[in-house]
Amino acid sequence: MDRRAFLLSLAALPFASLPAFAATEPAQSVETGPAKRWPIGSQYYPTKVAVKPDLPVGSIIIVSDKFFLYHIVAPGVAMRYGVAVGKDELKFRGTATVARKVKWPSWTPTREMIERNPAYKKYEDGMKGGPQNPLGARAMYLYQNGRDTAIRIHGTTEPGSIGHAVSNGCIRMVNDHVIDLFNSVPVGTQVTVY
């Protein structure tokens, strides 16, 4: 399905006609409690939404210019999360597969990232995983044709970045949102980024 058809399918579903299971109330995280603790706009809270019924169950669809990630959980139903995406010149587009999943991942900036931001040079040998690591609590590594794209769906130490194009190409999520997604998707999950 192309991006335009996908976006039109979302626009064609008025919220007033959504069934009770597609309420627009934010989900509550098991790990951090009520949504009011998330320093993001309420439109980016995890929300169960209706989507086109022919989208593959289990897949992830990211609509970069709307800052939303959709995890298709049943025919016609998705869990929608707010995300931060790559800066204009660094946006990833295409289809990939979740090939690795890591809890509290380490981080090593690429050579290109260090060139764009020399402050990253002190991490050229890597930064251990933990609460101060920019990849946050979880990371899902995206591959194409068996090769690492260097693009991740990961947590963040900057939850206020959700809803903005600020990253070096990766897809950022609030840490407890990425934990929920991480726990829901297996290695091999298809990811399409528009």
mmCIF file of all heavy atoms in Angstrom, residues 95-130:
data_model
loop_
_atom_site.group_PDB
_atom_site.id
_atom_site.type_symbol
_atom_site.label_atom_id
_atom_site.label_comp_id
_atom_site.label_asym_id
_atom_site.label_seq_id
_atom_site.Cartn_x
_atom_site.Cartn_y
_atom_site.Cartn_z
ATOM 1 N N THR A 95 10.969 -0.078 3.788
ATOM 2 C CA THR A 95 10.537 -1.241 4.551
ATOM 3 C C THR A 95 11.762 -1.934 5.114
ATOM 4 O O THR A 95 12.783 -2.049 4.437
ATOM 5 C CB THR A 95 9.738 -2.206 3.646
ATOM 6 O OG1 THR A 95 8.607 -1.494 3.131
ATOM 7 C CG2 THR A 95 9.241 -3.409 4.422
ATOM 8 N N ALA A 96 11.644 -2.381 6.347
ATOM 9 C CA ALA A 96 12.735 -3.082 7.015
ATOM 10 C C ALA A 96 12.124 -4.138 7.932
ATOM 11 O O ALA A 96 10.902 -4.258 8.044
ATOM 12 C CB ALA A 96 13.590 -2.097 7.816
ATOM 13 N N THR A 97 12.990 -4.882 8.589
ATOM 14 C CA THR A 97 12.573 -5.939 9.504
ATOM 15 C C THR A 97 13.269 -5.741 10.843
ATOM 16 O O THR A 97 14.457 -5.398 10.882
ATOM 17 C CB THR A 97 12.965 -7.324 8.928
ATOM 18 O OG1 THR A 97 12.337 -7.462 7.653
ATOM 19 C CG2 THR A 97 12.520 -8.445 9.831
ATOM 20 N N VAL A 98 12.541 -5.957 11.929
ATOM 21 C CA VAL A 98 13.166 -5.947 13.250
ATOM 22 C C VAL A 98 14.018 -7.215 13.321
ATOM 23 O O VAL A 98 13.487 -8.329 13.334
ATOM 24 C CB VAL A 98 12.120 -5.938 14.391
ATOM 25 C CG1 VAL A 98 12.808 -6.086 15.747
ATOM 26 C CG2 VAL A 98 11.276 -4.667 14.342
ATOM 27 N N ALA A 99 15.340 -7.056 13.330
ATOM 28 C CA ALA A 99 16.247 -8.206 13.326
ATOM 29 C C ALA A 99 16.881 -8.457 14.680
ATOM 30 O O ALA A 99 17.341 -9.563 14.946
ATOM 31 C CB ALA A 99 17.333 -8.023 12.271
ATOM 32 N N ARG A 100 16.911 -7.446 15.528
ATOM 33 C CA ARG A 100 17.469 -7.578 16.881
ATOM 34 C C ARG A 100 16.638 -6.749 17.830
ATOM 35 O O ARG A 100 16.101 -5.705 17.448
ATOM 36 C CB ARG A 100 18.909 -7.039 16.954
ATOM 37 C CG ARG A 100 19.939 -7.868 16.297
ATOM 38 C CD ARG A 100 21.346 -7.240 16.437
ATOM 39 N NE ARG A 100 21.694 -6.956 17.815
ATOM 40 C CZ ARG A 100 22.437 -5.907 18.205
ATOM 41 N NH1 ARG A 100 22.884 -5.034 17.321
ATOM 42 N NH2 ARG A 100 22.717 -5.723 19.470
ATOM 43 N N LYS A 101 16.575 -7.196 19.068
ATOM 44 C CA LYS A 101 15.920 -6.440 20.139
ATOM 45 C C LYS A 101 16.856 -6.466 21.341
ATOM 46 O O LYS A 101 17.384 -7.516 21.694
ATOM 47 C CB LYS A 101 14.583 -7.095 20.510
ATOM 48 C CG LYS A 101 13.537 -7.037 19.420
ATOM 49 C CD LYS A 101 12.307 -7.876 19.722
ATOM 50 C CE LYS A 101 11.737 -7.651 21.101
ATOM 51 N NZ LYS A 101 10.502 -8.392 21.353
ATOM 52 N N VAL A 102 17.068 -5.277 21.951
ATOM 53 C CA VAL A 102 18.016 -5.188 23.055
ATOM 54 C C VAL A 102 17.421 -4.351 24.185
ATOM 55 O O VAL A 102 16.913 -3.253 23.951
ATOM 56 C CB VAL A 102 19.362 -4.567 22.595
ATOM 57 C CG1 VAL A 102 20.338 -4.456 23.759
ATOM 58 C CG2 VAL A 102 19.964 -5.371 21.455
ATOM 59 N N LYS A 103 17.516 -4.875 25.409
ATOM 60 C CA LYS A 103 17.126 -4.126 26.604
ATOM 61 C C LYS A 103 18.324 -3.293 27.052
ATOM 62 O O LYS A 103 19.448 -3.779 27.084
ATOM 63 C CB LYS A 103 16.717 -5.076 27.730
ATOM 64 C CG LYS A 103 15.473 -5.867 27.430
ATOM 65 C CD LYS A 103 15.137 -6.793 28.592
ATOM 66 C CE LYS A 103 13.870 -7.576 28.289
ATOM 67 N NZ LYS A 103 13.527 -8.480 29.396
ATOM 68 N N TRP A 104 18.101 -2.047 27.392
ATOM 69 C CA TRP A 104 19.138 -1.105 27.813
ATOM 70 C C TRP A 104 20.353 -1.204 26.886
ATOM 71 O O TRP A 104 21.449 -1.570 27.287
ATOM 72 C CB TRP A 104 19.508 -1.310 29.281
ATOM 73 C CG TRP A 104 18.367 -0.966 30.183
ATOM 74 C CD1 TRP A 104 17.595 -1.847 30.873
ATOM 75 C CD2 TRP A 104 17.829 0.328 30.451
ATOM 76 N NE1 TRP A 104 16.609 -1.169 31.560
ATOM 77 C CE2 TRP A 104 16.729 0.173 31.323
ATOM 78 C CE3 TRP A 104 18.165 1.623 30.026
ATOM 79 C CZ2 TRP A 104 15.976 1.242 31.777
ATOM 80 C CZ3 TRP A 104 17.414 2.696 30.492
ATOM 81 C CH2 TRP A 104 16.341 2.492 31.368
ATOM 82 N N PRO A 105 20.160 -0.860 25.613
ATOM 83 C CA PRO A 105 21.232 -1.010 24.620
ATOM 84 C C PRO A 105 22.382 -0.036 24.837
ATOM 85 O O PRO A 105 22.206 1.056 25.372
ATOM 86 C CB PRO A 105 20.523 -0.686 23.305
ATOM 87 C CG PRO A 105 19.430 0.250 23.705
ATOM 88 C CD PRO A 105 18.956 -0.250 25.045
ATOM 89 N N SER A 106 23.553 -0.455 24.395
ATOM 90 C CA SER A 106 24.690 0.467 24.358
ATOM 91 C C SER A 106 24.528 1.330 23.106
ATOM 92 O O SER A 106 23.715 1.035 22.236
ATOM 93 C CB SER A 106 26.014 -0.306 24.331
ATOM 94 O OG SER A 106 26.066 -1.114 23.175
ATOM 95 N N TRP A 107 25.308 2.391 23.036
ATOM 96 C CA TRP A 107 25.210 3.310 21.905
ATOM 97 C C TRP A 107 26.595 3.724 21.455
ATOM 98 O O TRP A 107 27.438 4.101 22.275
ATOM 99 C CB TRP A 107 24.402 4.544 22.289
ATOM 100 C CG TRP A 107 24.380 5.639 21.261
ATOM 101 C CD1 TRP A 107 23.799 5.586 20.030
ATOM 102 C CD2 TRP A 107 24.951 6.940 21.377
ATOM 103 N NE1 TRP A 107 23.978 6.793 19.372
ATOM 104 C CE2 TRP A 107 24.682 7.638 20.187
ATOM 105 C CE3 TRP A 107 25.672 7.589 22.380
ATOM 106 C CZ2 TRP A 107 25.102 8.941 19.966
ATOM 107 C CZ3 TRP A 107 26.096 8.889 22.168
ATOM 108 C CH2 TRP A 107 25.809 9.560 20.973
ATOM 109 N N THR A 108 26.825 3.660 20.171
ATOM 110 C CA THR A 108 28.050 4.157 19.567
ATOM 111 C C THR A 108 27.644 5.033 18.390
ATOM 112 O O THR A 108 27.015 4.550 17.444
ATOM 113 C CB THR A 108 28.944 3.000 19.070
ATOM 114 O OG1 THR A 108 29.217 2.116 20.166
ATOM 115 C CG2 THR A 108 30.256 3.526 18.503
ATOM 116 N N PRO A 109 27.968 6.334 18.439
ATOM 117 C CA PRO A 109 27.596 7.201 17.311
ATOM 118 C C PRO A 109 28.370 6.808 16.059
ATOM 119 O O PRO A 109 29.518 6.377 16.132
ATOM 120 C CB PRO A 109 27.987 8.599 17.798
ATOM 121 C CG PRO A 109 29.024 8.381 18.843
ATOM 122 C CD PRO A 109 28.716 7.051 19.473
ATOM 123 N N THR A 110 27.715 6.964 14.919
ATOM 124 C CA THR A 110 28.395 6.689 13.648
ATOM 125 C C THR A 110 29.406 7.802 13.360
ATOM 126 O O THR A 110 29.349 8.889 13.950
ATOM 127 C CB THR A 110 27.387 6.612 12.490
ATOM 128 O OG1 THR A 110 26.787 7.909 12.328
ATOM 129 C CG2 THR A 110 26.313 5.556 12.739
ATOM 130 N N ARG A 111 30.278 7.549 12.425
ATOM 131 C CA ARG A 111 31.265 8.552 12.008
ATOM 132 C C ARG A 111 30.547 9.818 11.507
ATOM 133 O O ARG A 111 30.946 10.934 11.816
ATOM 134 C CB ARG A 111 32.160 7.947 10.913
ATOM 135 C CG ARG A 111 33.357 8.758 10.570
ATOM 136 C CD ARG A 111 34.334 8.038 9.625
ATOM 137 N NE ARG A 111 33.711 7.312 8.533
ATOM 138 C CZ ARG A 111 33.643 5.970 8.451
ATOM 139 N NH1 ARG A 111 34.179 5.228 9.387
ATOM 140 N NH2 ARG A 111 33.059 5.393 7.419
ATOM 141 N N GLU A 112 29.446 9.609 10.760
ATOM 142 C CA GLU A 112 28.687 10.746 10.235
ATOM 143 C C GLU A 112 28.052 11.565 11.371
ATOM 144 O O GLU A 112 27.996 12.797 11.285
ATOM 145 C CB GLU A 112 27.595 10.265 9.267
ATOM 146 C CG GLU A 112 28.123 9.640 7.997
ATOM 147 C CD GLU A 112 28.534 8.171 8.162
ATOM 148 O OE1 GLU A 112 28.236 7.558 9.210
ATOM 149 O OE2 GLU A 112 29.183 7.656 7.249
ATOM 150 N N MET A 113 27.589 10.886 12.407
ATOM 151 C CA MET A 113 27.012 11.609 13.546
ATOM 152 C C MET A 113 28.071 12.457 14.250
ATOM 153 O O MET A 113 27.795 13.595 14.636
ATOM 154 C CB MET A 113 26.385 10.613 14.538
ATOM 155 C CG MET A 113 25.125 9.956 14.023
ATOM 156 S SD MET A 113 24.567 8.581 15.069
ATOM 157 C CE MET A 113 24.000 9.470 16.505
ATOM 158 N N ILE A 114 29.268 11.917 14.392
ATOM 159 C CA ILE A 114 30.356 12.661 15.030
ATOM 160 C C ILE A 114 30.739 13.868 14.170
ATOM 161 O O ILE A 114 31.007 14.950 14.700
ATOM 162 C CB ILE A 114 31.556 11.736 15.301
ATOM 163 C CG1 ILE A 114 31.173 10.685 16.354
ATOM 164 C CG2 ILE A 114 32.778 12.539 15.753
ATOM 165 C CD1 ILE A 114 32.183 9.568 16.534
ATOM 166 N N GLU A 115 30.727 13.700 12.849
ATOM 167 C CA GLU A 115 31.030 14.831 11.961
ATOM 168 C C GLU A 115 29.983 15.937 12.106
ATOM 169 O O GLU A 115 30.324 17.118 12.101
ATOM 170 C CB GLU A 115 31.086 14.360 10.506
ATOM 171 C CG GLU A 115 32.317 13.544 10.186
ATOM 172 C CD GLU A 115 32.265 12.904 8.807
ATOM 173 O OE1 GLU A 115 31.342 13.200 8.012
ATOM 174 O OE2 GLU A 115 33.160 12.079 8.522
ATOM 175 N N ARG A 116 28.701 15.550 12.246
ATOM 176 C CA ARG A 116 27.643 16.551 12.405
ATOM 177 C C ARG A 116 27.660 17.184 13.789
ATOM 178 O O ARG A 116 27.283 18.343 13.947
ATOM 179 C CB ARG A 116 26.261 15.901 12.166
ATOM 180 C CG ARG A 116 25.945 15.627 10.718
ATOM 181 C CD ARG A 116 24.503 15.225 10.511
ATOM 182 N NE ARG A 116 24.129 13.991 11.177
ATOM 183 C CZ ARG A 116 24.234 12.773 10.650
ATOM 184 N NH1 ARG A 116 24.708 12.626 9.431
ATOM 185 N NH2 ARG A 116 23.859 11.711 11.331
ATOM 186 N N ASN A 117 28.079 16.407 14.799
ATOM 187 C CA ASN A 117 28.091 16.904 16.170
ATOM 188 C C ASN A 117 29.367 16.424 16.859
ATOM 189 O O ASN A 117 29.397 15.335 17.444
ATOM 190 C CB ASN A 117 26.854 16.402 16.924
ATOM 191 C CG ASN A 117 26.744 16.995 18.311
ATOM 192 O OD1 ASN A 117 27.707 17.559 18.836
ATOM 193 N ND2 ASN A 117 25.576 16.875 18.909
ATOM 194 N N PRO A 118 30.439 17.223 16.826
ATOM 195 C CA PRO A 118 31.724 16.823 17.403
ATOM 196 C C PRO A 118 31.655 16.464 18.891
ATOM 197 O O PRO A 118 32.532 15.745 19.384
ATOM 198 C CB PRO A 118 32.621 18.041 17.160
ATOM 199 C CG PRO A 118 32.023 18.708 15.959
ATOM 200 C CD PRO A 118 30.538 18.499 16.100
ATOM 201 N N ALA A 119 30.633 16.905 19.611
ATOM 202 C CA ALA A 119 30.498 16.540 21.026
ATOM 203 C C ALA A 119 30.331 15.027 21.213
ATOM 204 O O ALA A 119 30.625 14.491 22.283
ATOM 205 C CB ALA A 119 29.313 17.269 21.652
ATOM 206 N N TYR A 120 29.885 14.330 20.153
ATOM 207 C CA TYR A 120 29.716 12.875 20.229
ATOM 208 C C TYR A 120 31.050 12.129 20.203
ATOM 209 O O TYR A 120 31.099 10.927 20.462
ATOM 210 C CB TYR A 120 28.856 12.364 19.072
ATOM 211 C CG TYR A 120 27.397 12.735 19.125
ATOM 212 C CD1 TYR A 120 26.631 12.710 17.958
ATOM 213 C CD2 TYR A 120 26.752 13.094 20.304
ATOM 214 C CE1 TYR A 120 25.286 13.030 17.967
ATOM 215 C CE2 TYR A 120 25.417 13.421 20.330
ATOM 216 C CZ TYR A 120 24.683 13.385 19.164
ATOM 217 O OH TYR A 120 23.352 13.701 19.178
ATOM 218 N N LYS A 121 32.144 12.813 19.890
ATOM 219 C CA LYS A 121 33.448 12.153 19.769
ATOM 220 C C LYS A 121 33.822 11.416 21.052
ATOM 221 O O LYS A 121 34.408 10.326 20.992
ATOM 222 C CB LYS A 121 34.536 13.149 19.399
ATOM 223 C CG LYS A 121 35.899 12.478 19.231
ATOM 224 C CD LYS A 121 36.742 13.196 18.225
ATOM 225 C CE LYS A 121 38.096 12.565 18.064
ATOM 226 N NZ LYS A 121 38.089 11.220 17.528
ATOM 227 N N LYS A 122 33.430 11.937 22.188
ATOM 228 C CA LYS A 122 33.789 11.271 23.447
ATOM 229 C C LYS A 122 33.110 9.908 23.592
ATOM 230 O O LYS A 122 33.513 9.106 24.434
ATOM 231 C CB LYS A 122 33.467 12.162 24.646
ATOM 232 C CG LYS A 122 32.008 12.469 24.858
ATOM 233 C CD LYS A 122 31.838 13.416 26.037
ATOM 234 C CE LYS A 122 30.406 13.890 26.161
ATOM 235 N NZ LYS A 122 30.264 14.841 27.268
ATOM 236 N N TYR A 123 32.124 9.616 22.742
ATOM 237 C CA TYR A 123 31.433 8.321 22.785
ATOM 238 C C TYR A 123 31.807 7.425 21.609
ATOM 239 O O TYR A 123 31.155 6.407 21.380
ATOM 240 C CB TYR A 123 29.908 8.532 22.788
ATOM 241 C CG TYR A 123 29.434 9.356 23.948
ATOM 242 C CD1 TYR A 123 28.881 10.612 23.743
ATOM 243 C CD2 TYR A 123 29.555 8.897 25.259
ATOM 244 C CE1 TYR A 123 28.455 11.393 24.808
ATOM 245 C CE2 TYR A 123 29.136 9.667 26.330
ATOM 246 C CZ TYR A 123 28.584 10.914 26.095
ATOM 247 O OH TYR A 123 28.167 11.678 27.156
ATOM 248 N N GLU A 124 32.871 7.774 20.871
ATOM 249 C CA GLU A 124 33.218 7.005 19.676
ATOM 250 C C GLU A 124 33.534 5.546 19.985
ATOM 251 O O GLU A 124 33.435 4.691 19.106
ATOM 252 C CB GLU A 124 34.348 7.671 18.893
ATOM 253 C CG GLU A 124 35.689 7.652 19.576
ATOM 254 C CD GLU A 124 36.738 8.414 18.779
ATOM 255 O OE1 GLU A 124 36.564 8.612 17.563
ATOM 256 O OE2 GLU A 124 37.725 8.831 19.388
ATOM 257 N N ASP A 125 33.886 5.237 21.229
ATOM 258 C CA ASP A 125 34.127 3.842 21.623
ATOM 259 C C ASP A 125 32.898 3.229 22.279
ATOM 260 O O ASP A 125 32.954 2.106 22.767
ATOM 261 C CB ASP A 125 35.326 3.757 22.569
ATOM 262 C CG ASP A 125 36.629 4.131 21.871
ATOM 263 O OD1 ASP A 125 36.759 3.805 20.667
ATOM 264 O OD2 ASP A 125 37.493 4.757 22.512
ATOM 265 N N GLY A 126 31.816 3.977 22.317
ATOM 266 C CA GLY A 126 30.554 3.456 22.834
ATOM 267 C C GLY A 126 30.200 3.988 24.210
ATOM 268 O O GLY A 126 31.047 4.479 24.952
ATOM 269 N N MET A 127 28.922 3.909 24.514
ATOM 270 C CA MET A 127 28.365 4.308 25.813
ATOM 271 C C MET A 127 27.526 3.133 26.309
ATOM 272 O O MET A 127 26.680 2.620 25.582
ATOM 273 C CB MET A 127 27.489 5.552 25.652
ATOM 274 C CG MET A 127 26.856 6.040 26.905
ATOM 275 S SD MET A 127 25.780 7.475 26.521
ATOM 276 C CE MET A 127 25.499 8.097 28.152
ATOM 277 N N LYS A 128 27.765 2.714 27.530
ATOM 278 C CA LYS A 128 27.015 1.605 28.102
ATOM 279 C C LYS A 128 25.528 1.933 28.163
ATOM 280 O O LYS A 128 25.140 3.088 28.284
ATOM 281 C CB LYS A 128 27.493 1.312 29.519
ATOM 282 C CG LYS A 128 28.823 0.652 29.623
ATOM 283 C CD LYS A 128 29.167 0.472 31.081
ATOM 284 C CE LYS A 128 29.924 -0.799 31.318
ATOM 285 N NZ LYS A 128 30.267 -0.948 32.735
ATOM 286 N N GLY A 129 24.717 0.888 28.113
ATOM 287 C CA GLY A 129 23.279 1.066 28.275
ATOM 288 C C GLY A 129 22.959 1.549 29.681
ATOM 289 O O GLY A 129 23.708 1.306 30.618
ATOM 290 N N GLY A 130 21.851 2.251 29.824
ATOM 291 C CA GLY A 130 21.424 2.755 31.124
ATOM 292 C C GLY A 130 20.556 3.979 30.960
ATOM 293 O O GLY A 130 20.325 4.444 29.829
#
